[in-house]
Amino acid sequence: MTRWCEPRVTPNFHAAYVEYRDHRPTVAVLRTHAGDVAFALDHEQQPLEFVDDAALTSVLEEFGLGVWRTAELHRPFKAADWPLLDVRDVRYWRPETAGQALFNWWD
């Protein structure tokens, strides 16, 4: 890990950066307060560029954490599938994908 970023008001997730010693790009491990985990290339770029990382997924799943895959994060957002999200936020921010709804910078 090279650095850790905690949210203040936004975003709604923590980010820990994993820097590889080979030629692979640095990966941000994102985790929401609800426990959702995903990977992105940079947690400050909007929209987030989600990536899959088989090695990190394997390690996190050994600890019992579920990891959202890129394909799942890019599927269309349907508010009915996410009853715990604040309806006012969804109406205002209008997320287009599951990833935008789960990992966001809404204030």
Side-chain angles (χ1 to χ4, degrees):
M1 183 171 69
T2 58
R3 65 185 162 120
W4 173 258
C5 302
E6 291 194 41
R8 304 243 190 271
V9 175
T10 60
N12 75 329
F13 54 86
H14 297 271
Y17 284 84
V18 177
E19 187 175 290
Y20 291 103
R21 293 183 183 187
D22 58 17
H23 61 278
R24 291 180 286 175
T26 298
V27 174
V29 179
L30 312 178
R31 186 166 191 267
T32 67
H33 295 291
D36 298 296
V37 177
F39 309 126
L41 292 183
D42 184 351
H43 92 282
E44 295 176 353
Q45 290 279 87
Q46 291 293 308
L48 290 168
E49 186 177 343
F50 294 109
V51 295
D52 292 321
D53 188 302
L56 284 176
T57 297
S58 176
V59 169
L60 293 177
E61 286 179 342
E62 283 183 31
F63 287 103
L65 296 172
V67 177
W68 285 85
R69 306 309 196 273
T70 301
E72 298 169 315
L73 294 164
H74 285 284
R75 73 176 185 232
F77 174 77
K78 295 178 187 170
D81 294 341
W82 305 94
L84 298 179
L85 290 179
D86 187 318
V87 174
R88 294 168 297 183
D89 282 339
V90 170
R91 281 189 199 133
Y92 183 82
W93 294 103
R94 298 180 184 178
E96 294 178 7
T97 66
Q100 289 174 352
L102 288 171
F103 299 91
N104 63 64
W105 289 80
W106 304 344
D107 52 6

